[in-house]
Amino acid sequence: MAAIECNLKEDCSTDLSKSPVFSDETVKTIEEHETSGIPLQSAWTFWLDRAISGTTVEEYKQNLTKIYTVNTVQSFWAVFNNIPKASAVQVRYSYHLMRDERYPLWEEPINQNGGTWRLKCYKSDTETIWKEMVLAAIGEQFADCVMEGDEVCGVTVSIREREDIIQIWNMNASLASKATVLDKVHSLLPNTKFQELYKPHQSHHAYGRR
């Protein structure tokens, strides 16, 4: 199982292209938490990718690194606290936290009818927003913010040259206009400014061909 160890200074830029694994001690701790921790309502999987223009869907999928699938609150924290912080990740990399073990791919059958709320934020706010959004996701705080037949199924942080982008994935783009997900985001981050929009996966110019 590919994963990332974080024994890094917070002010360094982390090269994740080689995808080192967790230490044996960290893996043991995570596994212990998986069997004895407080269960989450569903499993969640951490993924890592590096944006490379011109790749096909299959190439993109092959370049994804699965970090770990967590099933308890404690194992979530054991993973979250032992991967590099978003501020230490190089430009063009993204972390994803996806429900169950689904891939963070627009074209996956389980995802293809959905979309994302995109929050473009200042780099000084990225850590705070990312942390609040993943906690809201695993705590099912968005459950009452979407219509019946829809579900929040992932959160992504993408590190870019200037502002970073955080995305909240849902499964049914046709119901997004009736959702109150952004209201929840603002309630969780009342003093944080960002640009926001909703984008269906199938509206991306690279959908189906990357």
Side-chain angles (χ1 to χ4, degrees), residues 162-196:
R162 297 183 179 180
E163 297 92 352
D164 296 329
I165 300 172
I166 292 172
Q167 300 177 68
I168 304 166
W169 296 55
N170 77 315
M171 294 184 64
N172 193 332
S174 68
L175 297 175
S177 62
K178 300 178 181 179
T180 58
V181 168
L182 290 177
D183 292 338
K184 170 60 74 172
V185 172
H186 286 292
S187 73
L188 293 170
L189 298 159
N191 300 315
T192 306
K193 296 181 179 180
F194 42 77
Q195 298 178 36
E196 60 194 49

Side-chain angles (χ1 to χ4, degrees), residues 196-208:
E196 60 194 49
L197 63 86
Y198 182 83
K199 194 172 185 68
H201 298 321
Q202 295 188 28
S203 70
H204 286 271
H205 72 279
Y207 180 88

Side-chain angles (χ1 to χ4, degrees), residues 7-207:
N7 293 318
L8 305 159
K9 295 181 181 179
E10 292 184 6
D11 60 352
C12 70
S13 179
T14 307
D15 184 353
L16 300 177
S17 61
K18 296 181 181 179
S19 300
V21 297
F22 286 121
S23 66
D24 290 342
E25 182 179 353
T26 300
V27 171
K28 182 179 179 180
T29 299
I30 296 170
E31 291 176 344
E32 288 174 351
H33 287 321
E34 281 286 275
T35 58
S36 61
I38 300 170
L40 299 170
Q41 289 191 28
S42 68
W44 291 85
T45 301
F46 285 92
W47 298 87
L48 170 74
D49 81 65
R50 181 165 64 95
I52 303 173
S53 61
T55 58
T56 65
V57 174
E58 283 306 312
E59 287 171 338
Y60 178 83
K61 191 172 184 178
Q62 290 173 7
N63 288 332
L64 281 168
T65 297
K66 181 180 179 181
I67 300 174
Y68 217 97
T69 299
V70 298
N71 292 276
T72 71
V73 174
Q74 290 83 353
S75 60
F76 164 82
W77 283 114
V79 173
F80 188 84
N81 289 335
N82 281 282
I83 57 176
K85 292 183 177 181
S87 60
V89 174
Q90 286 186 320
V91 170
R92 308 304 294 174
Y93 279 94
S94 297
Y95 279 137
H96 309 273
L97 182 67
M98 303 298 294
R99 191 181 293 277
D100 302 317
E101 294 189 63
R102 70 189 67 187
Y103 288 94
L105 283 165
W106 307 326
E107 298 85 356
E108 284 288 285
I110 198 169
N111 296 327
Q112 63 185 2
N113 293 319
T116 62
W117 287 275
R118 297 166 60 90
L119 313 175
K120 183 181 288 187
C121 62
Y122 296 113
K123 286 184 173 292
S124 58
D125 295 324
T126 300
E127 293 286 357
T128 299
I129 301 174
W130 167 239
K131 184 176 180 179
E132 287 291 340
M133 294 304 96
V134 296
L135 290 177
I138 68 169
E140 306 297 344
Q141 294 186 55
F142 295 120
D144 295 332
C145 301
V146 294
M147 301 297 292
E148 184 177 353
D150 197 9
E151 182 180 57
V152 165
C153 58
V155 184
T156 293
V157 57
S158 298
I159 308 304
R160 297 298 181 254
E161 287 84 357
R162 297 183 179 180
E163 297 92 352
D164 296 329
I165 300 172
I166 292 172
Q167 300 177 68
I168 304 166
W169 296 55
N170 77 315
M171 294 184 64
N172 193 332
S174 68
L175 297 175
S177 62
K178 300 178 181 179
T180 58
V181 168
L182 290 177
D183 292 338
K184 170 60 74 172
V185 172
H186 286 292
S187 73
L188 293 170
L189 298 159
N191 300 315
T192 306
K193 296 181 179 180
F194 42 77
Q195 298 178 36
E196 60 194 49
L197 63 86
Y198 182 83
K199 194 172 185 68
H201 298 321
Q202 295 188 28
S203 70
H204 286 271
H205 72 279
Y207 180 88

